[in-house]
Amino acid sequence: MPVDLKHVRNIGIVAHIDAGKTTLSERILYYTKKEHRMGTVDEGTAKMDYLEEEQERGITITSAATTCHWKGHHVNLIDTPGHVDFTAEVERSLSVLDGAVGVFCGVAGVQAQSETVWRQADRHHVPCIAFVNKLDRTGADPDRAVRSIRARLRANAVPAQLPIGCERDFAGVVDLVREVALLWTDELGERYVEEPIPAEMRDDAVLARAELVEQVANVDDQLSLLFLEGKPIGADALKAALRRAVIARTLVPVFFGAALRNRGVQPVLDAVIDYLPSPRDAGAMEVERVDGKGMEKFAPEPDEDLLALAFKTIHDSHGDLTFLRIYSGTLKTNQSIYNVREQKAERVGRLYRMHADEREPVDEVGPGDIIVAVGLRFTKTGDTLCPKPRAVQIGGMLFPDTVISQSIEPKTAADRDPLNEALNFVARDDPTFRFRFDEETGQAIVSGMGELHLEIVGNRIARDYKVPIRVGKPRVAYRQTAAQATEGDATFRHVFAGKPQFGRIRLRVEPRELIQPTVALSIPNERVHRQFWLGIEQAAKAALKSGLDLGYPIVRVHVEVFDGETRDGETTEAALAKATDDAFHAAMKQAGTVLLEPIMSFEVQTPTEFMKAITGDLNSRRGTIEQVDNQGDQAKITGQVPLAETFGYSTSLRSMSQGRASCAMQPADYQPVPPEVAAKLFF
């Protein structure tokens, strides 16, 4: 039976690693009766961490989707990873979700990856609510956590609750909207009672509710009128205004709890229903046609034309799984659909709703659904499916460039083809994984987001694809840029099979701040006809990736091809492409190159007694310490350090801190390699 769209919620759980995302997800599954027991991350029994690698490591590696029901609402939930190496999983999930729950540690507040996922949510215009978790932990400070959300995320965060007690004494919350206390009474957290606000908290609750009302009134005109007229503001009016503010992304309500102790989860579920948008609230998708002839508007209605986005693929021996978000129309089994990028028709074999790694077959799905299709042969992450006459391409997914490489080779010659096949499967599933084969050594050079990323890829090849491999040491993915602006001029003359070929290109190379290189053509049409321009542009982009003598791609440059020369009957696209490549190499040789290395932002959480040893070690690794934030007997050290100096750092940090410190890193920038360091690399 179809579900009314206003009763559908598509949400993601996002946060820094170890903030409690998966624990919160497991409690949600239990309280919504989707699961009959609570899984735990520490014991490796969490339903949403279904991969063997996840259960062994106690972290989320791949986003897992499920569907559950709460108070008459259909909730599609995606639990995302919190480790920076798997940020692509967060990116593609947020690209199709209507709302998100940001989970924050009640002790540490906003952490490194918290900022990354929040920026991703902002870029995709995803409304969010915040859940401050782990208030039962020693050192928990809800006020400090809220302040960090405001300061580091620049979010208009306002508590919608007040915690009752803290650390060992955390027992419940005060609901500021309805002005009642919620107290949990059993170990499993299934039952909680509503009571009057405790006498000792009444004054604080009155002030906090007044602050909530004022902040909502500042961003909502309807509530502002009631507020300015001095009229009493009841729970229904405040809840409606708060919903409008959340959907407009002008306010982030904050909720409190301790998911591991089963406290505070049900109010978060209520908040998902009350404040996060439905697909109908998200409205129609208006997308530019691929032929450039205006826009197409797809309403979230079952009788509209189909519009769907493929946001994830998983290779499976029984048929590859393609995760789809349906924006409009109806999709049925055995239906033919059109892939815009491939310009090919695909046929859907079967449709499933996913519950982590379990599948529930369905015959048809409609607007707002997040489902899996089996049988799509060509569809990849980011592909749009819609009618050919209304061909559009939904954009928005941004995947970071790789920062680390290592070699992989099969243990026997017989395993070379299976390795190539396995690498192709991994690369199709993971947009942040790259590989190429070194022609001289025969090794596969794989590139990814970090040591953990490549380690898990290697384990997957050996374990899932049964290919025995040898793995080399990780290597930094350096880059190069031009030292100054300069021009290059090259002429290609050659005779092939008695036929002369000619092409001349002049171009300019300029250093830029933007890391991604750009190419522009401003050649007068009478000098080089437009029919050759695409080939010239592709040749310039290929030259940027070639890496010159050192083999590292060129970044932070702008290439402008401004002149050329052709001859009737002699000029070919290949001749102009070779001239473009030669001109680029000539320009870069004259400009001089600067070697760049990836720089990582780090955030170390440590007991203060180990702070001196840790800061000294970071300095020895060419690290720059930007801030030290003392939080009682804990300290948070933030700064930047070259990726080349971080290999094996987690092991060293454990040794320096007796296993009590933790570190999170994420790519931040590329900076010139100091000459003395570069000399050691190549001489």
Side-chain angles (χ1 to χ4, degrees), residues 459-589:
N459 291 347
R460 184 180 175 192
I461 291 170
R463 177 183 288 171
D464 297 348
Y465 297 102
K466 313 298 182 187
V467 181
I469 56 174
R470 285 189 291 265
V471 179
K473 292 183 179 179
R475 297 181 293 182
V476 175
Y478 292 98
R479 297 289 185 265
Q480 300 174 90
T481 190
Q484 60 183 352
T486 188
E487 294 182 2
D489 186 344
T491 301
F492 178 78
R493 292 188 183 91
H494 209 80
V495 178
F496 287 106
K499 184 177 180 180
Q501 292 208 23
F502 174 86
R504 181 188 178 194
I505 289 293
R506 295 180 65 196
L507 55 78
R508 183 181 300 107
V509 175
E510 299 177 358
R512 293 284 175 91
E513 283 300 312
L514 187 68
I515 190 71
Q516 196 69 27
T518 54
V519 175
L521 275 69
S522 57
I523 316 170
N525 194 43
E526 62 271 15
R527 297 284 288 170
V528 178
H529 195 273
R530 281 184 176 270
Q531 73 184 68
F532 295 115
W533 282 26
L534 179 60
I536 294 170
E537 182 182 13
Q538 290 175 339
K541 290 180 177 178
L544 286 162
K545 294 180 180 179
S546 68
L548 306 176
D549 294 337
L550 295 179
Y552 297 121
I554 312 300
V555 298
R556 281 190 175 156
V557 297
H558 174 70
V559 179
E560 182 179 2
V561 184
F562 62 87
D563 194 17
E565 184 181 344
T566 61
R567 293 178 182 174
D568 291 341
E570 295 184 13
T571 297
T572 63
E573 187 173 297
L576 288 170
K578 185 63 170 67
T580 302
D581 185 74
D582 291 346
F584 177 78
H585 279 72
M588 289 299 298
K589 184 175 181 180

Side-chain angles (χ1 to χ4, degrees), residues 16 19 38 127 166 250 305 401 404 428 435 442 455 512 516 574 664:
H16 181 89
M38 289 185 186
C166 200
T250 56
D305 284 335
D401 200 3
I404 188 172
R428 184 190 175 194
F435 77 95
E455 181 183 342
R512 293 284 175 91
Q516 196 69 27

Side-chain angles (χ1 to χ4, degrees), residues 42 90 99 169 179 265 369 374 409 469 540 620:
D42 292 340
V90 184
D169 298 326
E179 299 181 274
V265 176
D369 269 313
V374 175
E409 59 183 353
I469 56 174
S620 72

Side-chain angles (χ1 to χ4, degrees), residues 154-193:
R154 298 179 182 177
N156 185 17
V158 183
Q161 297 175 336
L162 286 183
I164 299 175
C166 200
E167 299 182 340
R168 288 186 178 182
D169 298 326
F170 178 67
V173 295
V174 172
D175 182 338
L176 296 176
V177 175
R178 296 191 298 124
E179 299 181 274
V180 295
L182 309 178
L183 297 168
W184 276 262
T185 59
D186 68 317
E187 280 300 312
L188 290 177
E190 289 186 89
R191 294 185 296 276
Y192 61 91
V193 295

Side-chain angles (χ1 to χ4, degrees), residues 125 177 183 202 233 393 423 550 563:
H125 308 291
V177 175
L183 297 168
R202 283 177 189 160
I233 296 175
Q393 179 63 54
L423 289 171
L550 295 179
D563 194 17

